[in-house]
Amino acid sequence: MADPRPSHDIVIAGAGLAGALLATSLGRAGHRVRLFERRMDPRRADAESGRSINLAISVRGLHALASVGLEEAVLADAVRMPGRMVHQHGAETFTPYSRDPDRAINSVSRSGLNRMLVESAAATPGVELVFEARCVDAEFDEHARPAAIFEFPDGRRERVDGDLVVGADGAFSAVREAMRRTARFDFSQSWLAAGYKELAIPPADDASGPHGRFRLDPNALHIWPHGGSMMIALPNADGSFTGTLFWPFEGEHSFGTLDGASDAEIMAFFERHYPDAVPHMPDLLADWHANPTSALVTMRSRPWHRGRAVLLGDAAHAIVPFYGQGANASFEDCEALADAIASHPTDLDAAIAAYEDERIDNANAIADLALDQFIDMRDRAGDRRHRLAKRGSQLLGAIVPSLWTPLYDMVSFSRIPYATAVAKAERQARVLRTIATIALPAAIIAALLTFILTWS
């Protein structure tokens, strides 16, 4: 029997993680999808060097990948990270992310995952891919079909219209920029005072060490906190680690500190502040000079559409990477939009409205959490009291799971909407403060009574 649902003509600008996943989902649902990407085909071109912070894929992202049959393939190339390893004063301290040993986030290569998603989209009937086509503008007149304008390397421009245009073209989206030129479109961006630079930790030459071909424990996200600065390292399946510096641009322990520094001065700085990491980075100086220093930004917009042009992923809500939820949140966007279209097969306007209603507040919630997590990793990760507080929260979750769930568990190991998780965490904190307010005076009174009765 023929599928009674209508097939829509959908144009997607951007074949990054979100755009490629959405193309596969919509193509499998029977829609015609044309997917345009400004870069070269990742199946034959390497990802941009020095700009590929590893992804931490967790439950939300895995659920979306499972919906297109890619979860197992992605996990086959991933490395499990059940906790963080803090390097401080020559010592290593491991803190699990959850009391449940089966829970872990997964370190995944961004370029490898993007290539896999593009391959999936290319193999989906009804999906057409066009590379080296940069989106430069969009049109969404209510009296005409929405369209995206693409520019090709030879300078040629082409207007491509459809029933729906999706702007999945990243943080500096041309589709969103077109929307910004309209009235009553809210947009904000906030640049972090810190930027990032990649430094590689290659596999060990001798695989007979305690971690085999890995120079460090592979089952952890490694953090070297230094107050206002930090370095992290995430494992790769080949035994290497992707190291990333997150330093302020100016001030003490910043990128500005080493502006114009000699190689000897750069090495001396790292040996002073990251002494246990330097022996594992034989290409430190080459990476320092070759890889760019990039900025980090949080972007928010509302609404996410104009007419039948709609935003997705970083184009709608760019966030900083510190909660490891950027890709996971974008993948949830893909599921939400695909589900909304399936639920409103004959009414794309209703589908867009349902998608926005589900996602905007959650996107803002994870943006706030990601900013706070930067402070957590940079300033609090090495604090013993902070680690004890996290363990206490995990213990409460184990003792009274129906009443207490740690925020990290809700964000990384469940599909509870981000805004709901934040609200629940705030309620739990209020209850705990109330209990502490009552329990502490009671404990003091009990101690005094015990003292009096003992010595009377």
Side-chain angles (χ1 to χ4, degrees), residues 55-56 79-83 97 103-107 218-221 233-235:
L55 304 171
V79 181
R80 292 181 77 255
M81 299 184 298
Y97 286 128
R103 289 180 170 177
I105 58 178
N106 301 279
S107 178
N219 297 122
L221 186 156
L234 277 72

Side-chain angles (χ1 to χ4, degrees), residues 408-420:
Y408 194 92
D409 286 60
M410 288 190 281
V411 171
S412 295
F413 304 126
S414 85
R415 296 179 61 231
I416 296 172
Y418 293 122
T420 303

Side-chain angles (χ1 to χ4, degrees), residues 110-407:
R110 174 184 291 272
S111 59
L113 179 55
N114 197 181
R115 185 166 54 251
M116 187 182 297
L117 288 167
V118 166
E119 289 171 349
S120 176
T124 302
V127 177
E128 175 188 354
L129 282 75
V130 181
F131 292 96
E132 298 182 78
R134 183 170 67 96
C135 184
V136 294
D137 206 349
E139 299 174 357
F140 25 79
D141 189 307
E142 63 182 57
H143 302 296
R145 279 160 51 102
I149 314 301
F150 297 98
E151 184 176 80
F152 295 85
D154 60 5
R156 173 176 53 91
R157 289 196 174 195
E158 181 179 344
R159 180 184 185 277
V160 182
D161 66 7
D163 299 322
L164 178 69
V165 168
V166 180
D169 49 340
F172 301 98
S173 166
V175 178
R176 188 193 64 234
E177 189 60 28
M179 294 181 184
R180 286 186 65 190
R181 297 195 295 266
T182 65
R184 295 191 301 151
F185 184 87
D186 293 329
F187 172 79
S188 67
Q189 65 181 28
S190 176
W191 296 92
L192 209 61
Y196 72 93
K197 181 191 286 283
E198 267 192 20
L199 302 174
I201 298 178
D205 295 327
D206 181 0
S208 63
H211 307 299
R213 64 187 187 279
F214 292 95
R215 293 171 180 262
L216 305 169
D217 185 340
N219 297 122
L221 186 156
H222 293 260
I223 306 175
W224 289 261
H226 281 278
S229 305
M230 70 172 174
M231 180 171 74
I232 70 170
L234 277 72
N236 298 303
D238 66 357
S240 67
F241 285 80
T242 300
T244 310
L245 303 172
F246 292 101
W247 294 357
F249 285 100
E250 305 294 339
E252 186 178 355
H253 202 127
S254 69
F255 289 113
T257 302
L258 297 181
D259 278 352
S262 67
D263 285 356
E265 289 170 330
I266 293 169
M267 286 301 299
F269 185 90
F270 276 88
E271 288 169 350
R272 182 165 64 254
H273 294 289
Y274 306 94
D276 62 332
V278 170
H280 302 307
M281 296 189 289
D283 300 320
L284 169 58
L285 289 174
D287 289 341
W288 175 269
H289 293 301
N291 293 340
T293 302
S294 303
L296 293 163
V297 65
T298 298
M299 293 180 172
R300 306 173 198 252
S301 56
R302 186 185 290 265
W304 285 0
H305 81 285
R306 277 291 180 257
R308 291 187 177 178
V310 65
L311 302 174
L312 184 88
D314 284 354
H317 55 87
I319 68 174
V320 293
F322 304 107
Y323 222 114
Q325 288 296 305
N328 293 288
S330 294
F331 287 165
E332 279 197 326
D333 289 351
C334 295
E335 284 195 287
L337 182 55
D339 289 347
I341 293 172
S343 298
H344 303 85
T346 61
D347 190 344
L348 285 176
D349 297 312
I352 291 169
Y355 160 67
E356 280 195 2
D357 287 346
E358 179 178 343
R359 295 302 301 159
I360 287 185
D361 289 343
N362 289 311
N364 287 331
I366 191 56
D368 292 335
L369 288 174
L371 289 167
D372 183 70
Q373 187 74 352
F374 176 48
I375 300 170
D376 181 273
M377 295 172 70
R378 183 194 67 185
D379 299 349
R380 306 173 192 141
D383 186 86
R384 183 172 177 271
R385 289 171 299 179
H386 184 63
R387 292 198 299 271
L388 287 173
K390 282 187 175 291
R391 289 182 181 273
S393 178
Q394 292 172 357
L395 182 60
L396 274 173
I399 296 172
V400 283
S402 61
L403 300 176
W404 185 278
T405 307
L407 177 60

Side-chain angles (χ1 to χ4, degrees), residues 43-56:
R43 292 170 292 179
R44 66 182 182 89
D46 292 336
E48 293 176 327
S49 176
R51 295 180 183 269
S52 55
I53 297 174
N54 273 38
L55 304 171

